[in-house]
Amino acid sequence: MDLKASLGVSASGLRAQSLRMRVIAENLANQDSVAQTPGGDPYRRRIASFKAQVDRATGATEVKVQSIENDKSDFTRIYQPGHPAADGEGYVLKPNVNGLVESADMKAAQRSYEANLNAIEAAKSLTMRTIDLLK
C-alpha cells in the first residue's frame, strides 16, 4: 500500500471516529433533557454505524458512515406529578441515555482516533526515513 492510500485509510478513520465522538457528546449533553410538552417523548439516544467501502482511486478499504440512527430502547419513567412534562398519570419520560455506556463508547472512540493518528505518524516517519536513506 502506498503512502497516499495509507493516509487515506487513516484519515477516513479519523473522520469516522470524530463523528462518533460528536454523536456521543450529543447523547451525553441530552441525558437529562425531558419532553417539551406533557406526556411527550424526550431526547432519544443516537448511534452512529459505519461500513467498509473500497476507494476506487487507491484500491484501499476506507471507513464510511453508514447511518446515524435512533436507539429504539425504552425510555425511563419517573413518577414526578408536579413536573411540567408529566403525563396524565404523573410520570415523566427520561431519555434512554446511560452515562456509563456513553463514557465507555467515548473512550473507545478516543482510542480508535488515537490509533489512526499513530498510523499517520508512522507512515510519515517511514517516508522521512526513506527520503533520508536516498540522500
Side-chain angles (χ1 to χ4, degrees):
M1 185 181 295
D2 65 350
L3 177 64
K4 182 180 177 185
S6 63
L7 290 176
V9 170
S10 294
S12 73
L14 289 174
R15 283 189 298 275
Q17 295 308 321
S18 177
L19 178 118
R20 182 178 172 200
M21 286 188 277
R22 184 184 59 80
V23 170
I24 293 168
E26 287 176 10
N27 290 339
L28 286 169
N30 287 292
Q31 73 180 348
D32 293 323
S33 63
V34 293
Q36 298 283 339
T37 59
D41 285 345
Y43 176 82
R44 187 170 288 277
R45 178 179 186 246
R46 297 172 60 192
I47 304 168
S49 61
F50 306 104
K51 64 180 177 180
Q53 186 175 359
V54 176
D55 180 5
R56 294 178 192 226
T58 62
T61 304
E62 297 182 346
V63 179
K64 299 292 179 187
V65 176
Q66 183 171 356
S67 64
I68 299 175
E69 298 178 353
N70 290 333
D71 183 356
K72 299 193 182 356
S73 61
D74 294 332
F75 296 119
T76 305
R77 286 178 51 150
I78 298 177
Y79 186 68
Q80 290 181 317
H83 196 282
D87 61 12
E89 298 174 4
Y91 286 95
V92 176
L93 293 178
K94 293 289 210 169
N96 57 347
V97 177
N98 181 334
L100 291 175
V101 170
E102 298 302 323
S103 295
D105 284 350
M106 182 66 85
K107 190 55 126 174
Q110 287 173 333
R111 289 199 173 147
S112 294
Y113 191 91
E114 288 173 12
N116 282 297
L117 280 177
N118 288 338
I120 289 172
E121 190 61 38
K124 179 181 134 190
S125 175
L126 288 173
T127 302
M128 294 307 293
R129 290 165 109 189
T130 302
I131 291 171
D132 287 344
L133 287 173
L134 295 174
K135 288 183 180 178

